[in-house]
Amino acid sequence: MPEAARAALAGTRARLSTATRVAALTGAGISAASGVPTFRGTAGALWEDHDPAQLATPEAFARDPALVWRWYDWRRGLIANAAPNPAHAALARLEAWVRSVTVITQNVDGLHARAGSTDIIEYHGSIWRTRCLDCGDEREDRRAPLPQVPPPCAACGGRLRPGVVWFGEPIPAAAAAAAAAAARGCGLFLVVGTSGAVWPAAGLARVARESGAHVVEFNLERGGAGGQSQLFIPGDAALTLPQLVP
Ligand code: BV8
Ligand code: ZN
């Protein structure tokens, strides 16, 4: 690890020792080492020649629910066979060292919970939840693969959609408020494995910085913190983040 990164890691560790509240904004990059493809990365970002950013929309679902559900069923199967990696584990372990650790994740894979984190804000929802367009039934459904695609609502037989936030849809109010409060109230804000391409999640680093937090970015390349990071630690988060936590 380059000397500058080593120094950044040491500086962040020092801040951890006095921090009482840490918030971490995570993106698809933290799950890369678990084999879950990123949205905009290289391998796996496409699925059957479809661009995820085009599929993750209400318009795509209205146009072809079966296609969108095939994509989610494929991802659910892949995630069901994936395991949390040392980066997820490091954030979970951090809870033993810092009074409050809030994970604000853009990911819908549920890997932070499986790693043991206990204060998680699923900013873009969960691939393991469904919502019925006809009766509103919302539930967790971990079947992978789904027995039928699109899956019918268990309550009314109606049309289910994945319980995620699509492009053009608002962040659920409770998640948005909790994430803003966590960014405002923390002394240390970690930005892990996100391109900073998606809003309003990408605006949280500025909220943290303007509230006085120290912002540290863990990524292969700098930029996901929208220029708000004071420190940058390059490399695979599965290798770098565990070095932060004893
Ligand atoms: C909203 C859930 C307003 C679904 C996702 C036109 C109309 C409407 C809105 C907009 C518009 N134009 C722009 C917008 C805003 C839009 C937006 O930001 N668009 C962008 C693309 C320009 N945002 C929205 O639409 C949001 N809603 O604005 O609502 C509104 C308000 C009121 C009323 C009505 C409407 C909703 C956005 C949520 C979209 N849903 N996911 C699903 O997953 O199926 S976003 C999707 O992208 C994933 O959640 C993903 O996590 C997220 C962000 O991407 P990243 O996590 O950063 O992943 P990415 O692949 O980009 O990057 C990976 C990073 O990891 C890279 O930096 C890479 O270097 C790094 N990395 C890779 N490997 C590693 C690593 N780092 C460390 N270690 C490694 N090993
Ligand atoms: Zn229903």
Side-chain angles (χ1 to χ4, degrees):
M1 178 183 282
E3 188 41 45
R6 209 187 303 279
L9 204 53
T12 308
R13 265 201 295 267
R15 286 181 182 277
L16 263 190
S17 61
T18 57
T20 52
R21 303 178 74 82
V22 172
L25 173 68
T26 68
I30 200 170
S31 295
S34 299
V36 181
T38 60
F39 262 63
R40 294 163 192 82
T42 45
L46 287 180
W47 173 78
E48 294 188 1
D49 298 333
H50 293 281
D51 172 5
Q54 300 308 317
L55 283 178
T57 64
E59 295 76 15
F61 186 75
R63 192 169 47 247
D64 190 345
L67 171 71
V68 172
W69 262 115
R70 279 209 336 273
W71 178 49
Y72 280 95
D73 194 35
W74 171 74
R75 288 172 68 193
R76 289 160 55 103
L78 194 149
I79 293 165
N81 291 312
N85 66 60
H88 297 105
L91 287 180
R93 214 170 49 247
L94 196 54
E95 296 184 13
W97 297 92
V98 179
R99 181 162 60 81
S100 160
V101 179
T102 303
V103 176
I104 306 163
T105 188
Q106 300 173 84
N107 302 336
V108 297
D109 56 32
L111 290 179
H112 284 298
R114 284 176 53 194
S117 286
T118 59
D119 181 5
I120 303 165
I121 300 168
E122 291 189 311
Y123 205 67
H124 292 155
S126 169
I127 204 165
W128 299 116
R129 295 194 64 77
T130 61
R131 187 164 72 245
C132 180
L133 299 178
D134 297 305
C135 75
D137 179 75
E138 284 198 44
R139 65 177 66 194
E140 185 166 289
D141 178 338
R142 291 208 174 243
R143 294 174 297 171
L146 287 163
Q148 189 183 336
V149 173
C153 171
C156 77
R159 297 161 300 153
L160 289 185
R161 61 160 283 174
V164 299
V165 180
W166 281 326
F167 289 103
E169 296 185 321
I171 305 302
R184 273 198 302 274
C186 70
L188 185 60
F189 192 79
L190 309 178
V191 182
V192 187
T194 180
S195 62
V198 174
W199 291 81
L204 290 168
R206 172 180 291 278
V207 171
R209 180 78 185 267
E210 288 175 351
S211 305
H214 201 71
V215 180
V216 184
E217 184 175 3
F218 292 77
N219 201 312
L220 301 177
E221 64 217 1
R222 195 163 199 171
Q228 300 301 315
S229 60
Q230 286 113 321
L231 291 175
F232 170 57
I233 297 166
D236 177 352
L239 301 175
T240 56
L241 205 52
Q243 295 181 58
L244 179 67
V245 189

